[in-house]
Amino acid sequence: MEEDSLLAVLTALADPARWRLVGLLAEQPRSVGVLAHLADARQPQTTKHLQTLERAGVVTSRRTGQRRIYALRPGPLRDLAAALGRLADVGDRATGPGATFERYGLGADAEQLAAKAQGWADGRSFRFHRPLTGRPELVWRHLAETDLLARWWTPDDLRVSELVFEARPGGRIVQEYRDAEDADGSDRVAGRAEGVVDDARPGEHLAYRLSPLLPDDSLAFTAHVDMDLRPTATGTDLDVHWRITDSAVDAAEFVAGIEIGFGQSLDKLAAALTEEPDTAGDTTDHTLDSTEPRSRT
């Protein structure tokens, strides 16, 4: 069944009066007068509703003597039910975006109950581990160069819209992100974070502090992030440790999203490295040392 036809059926059924008529016709074919009586409605209104249902293909009619008899056409209802079932199945996938959103919602509710005073989440830590394809030099480029960093440094439903990352001690960090489907930047900025690099040893260790901003531009919390790279026979092991300080009461939703969001980002990093040729033997100095963002909407 074509999408336009499905929408026509759905629109026709959306009116409570027409839904009542469909229920009556599901029992048996009936005349306009009988339907009006059973639905406790005026006959002209009932006729208009039936004509709408007929145009949508939900009912059919036949004149018999002085009466017009209407009957239900079950096929369009079954088609609509099947289409709605498919939508429900997509949304109900155990590992899909809907399930992730529900899991985040449960976490956010729990964190909001815990957020009673300033500093409520201080000392909270998160650890991540990813075995990555590519030697440490290649992985480092994806951690330190803004054009490569922008490809993975947001969860699945977001995209980087402004990025500054100066991969040197004291270097500035700015990360602004928008909805991934907001291609033209017309929607509101989804979030912004600012920070500073504490340590940068190419191919070995990266440490920085990063603070997401609340809507009033105050700090939600400060994340102290340490990344360690170790060469392996198949590529690089990346270990990441997050530690929270300076947590504000209003930071509950941010904290709830760390494990899911950063985990998704690291999965995107792993996928990007799988597709990236390992050019670690290249002698070009790729370390970013600029105060201007190289990726900006």
Side-chain angles (χ1 to χ4, degrees), residues 195-255:
V196 62
V197 175
D198 292 320
D199 191 12
R201 285 172 271 155
E204 297 180 10
H205 181 74
L206 178 64
Y208 59 84
R209 286 166 285 151
L210 189 65
S211 298
L213 302 183
L214 294 169
D216 63 359
D217 289 333
S218 62
L219 302 186
F221 61 84
T222 297
H224 302 256
V225 183
D226 284 274
M227 296 183 167
D228 289 298
L229 294 75
R230 296 192 311 276
T232 66
T234 57
T236 303
D237 273 354
L238 176 65
D239 287 292
V240 183
H241 180 210
W242 273 61
R243 182 174 58 85
I244 293 177
T245 62
D246 311 318
S247 51
V249 173
D250 293 335
E253 293 182 356
F254 290 84
V255 173

Side-chain angles (χ1 to χ4, degrees), residues 16-283:
R18 291 195 286 268
W19 181 258
R20 170 66 174 149
L21 293 173
V22 168
L24 291 169
L25 291 174
E27 298 171 354
Q28 65 182 60
R30 286 179 161 122
S31 69
V32 177
V34 170
L35 287 168
H37 173 72
L38 293 175
D40 193 22
R42 295 172 56 196
Q43 188 162 322
Q45 292 175 319
T46 300
T47 298
K48 289 182 179 180
H49 285 315
L50 290 167
Q51 290 171 344
T52 298
L53 290 168
E54 190 166 21
R55 285 194 298 270
V58 178
V59 303
T60 186
S61 68
R62 182 185 300 275
R63 181 167 289 282
T64 303
Q66 299 298 316
R67 302 183 306 159
R68 179 165 289 279
I69 306 297
Y70 281 84
L72 183 68
R73 295 183 67 240
L77 297 183
R78 290 197 178 95
D79 290 341
L80 178 60
L84 293 174
R86 288 192 295 271
L87 288 176
D89 289 342
V90 171
D92 198 36
R93 288 176 299 181
T95 58
T100 301
F101 181 77
E102 183 175 356
R103 183 157 61 96
Y104 165 74
L106 293 173
D109 291 343
E111 298 292 9
Q112 286 173 343
L113 290 175
K116 300 299 185 182
Q118 297 295 104
W120 65 276
D122 289 6
R124 186 85 63 88
S125 66
F126 303 85
R127 292 187 181 274
F128 304 87
H129 172 78
R130 292 294 187 281
L132 302 173
T133 301
R135 287 171 284 181
E137 294 85 351
L138 178 62
V139 175
W140 177 264
R141 290 184 56 201
H142 283 74
L143 300 180
E145 294 184 25
T146 54
D147 54 343
L148 297 176
L149 185 57
R151 297 179 188 178
W152 67 268
W153 206 23
T154 58
D156 293 340
D157 59 340
L158 299 171
R159 66 176 179 86
V160 172
S161 54
E162 180 181 344
L163 182 59
V164 178
F165 197 99
E166 300 170 358
R168 53 179 171 77
R172 187 167 61 105
I173 305 172
V174 176
Q175 181 196 31
E176 182 182 274
Y177 41 96
R178 294 178 178 271
D179 191 291
E181 296 181 328
D182 178 24
D184 61 359
S186 59
D187 201 0
R188 297 181 61 181
V189 171
R192 185 179 177 87
E194 299 176 357
V196 62
V197 175
D198 292 320
D199 191 12
R201 285 172 271 155
E204 297 180 10
H205 181 74
L206 178 64
Y208 59 84
R209 286 166 285 151
L210 189 65
S211 298
L213 302 183
L214 294 169
D216 63 359
D217 289 333
S218 62
L219 302 186
F221 61 84
T222 297
H224 302 256
V225 183
D226 284 274
M227 296 183 167
D228 289 298
L229 294 75
R230 296 192 311 276
T232 66
T234 57
T236 303
D237 273 354
L238 176 65
D239 287 292
V240 183
H241 180 210
W242 273 61
R243 182 174 58 85
I244 293 177
T245 62
D246 311 318
S247 51
V249 173
D250 293 335
E253 293 182 356
F254 290 84
V255 173
I258 293 173
E259 190 167 11
I260 294 174
F262 197 70
Q264 289 181 346
S265 296
L266 292 178
D267 290 342
K268 290 168 66 175
L269 170 61
L273 284 163
T274 300
E275 300 170 358
E276 182 85 8
D278 193 338
T279 56
D282 187 353
T283 58

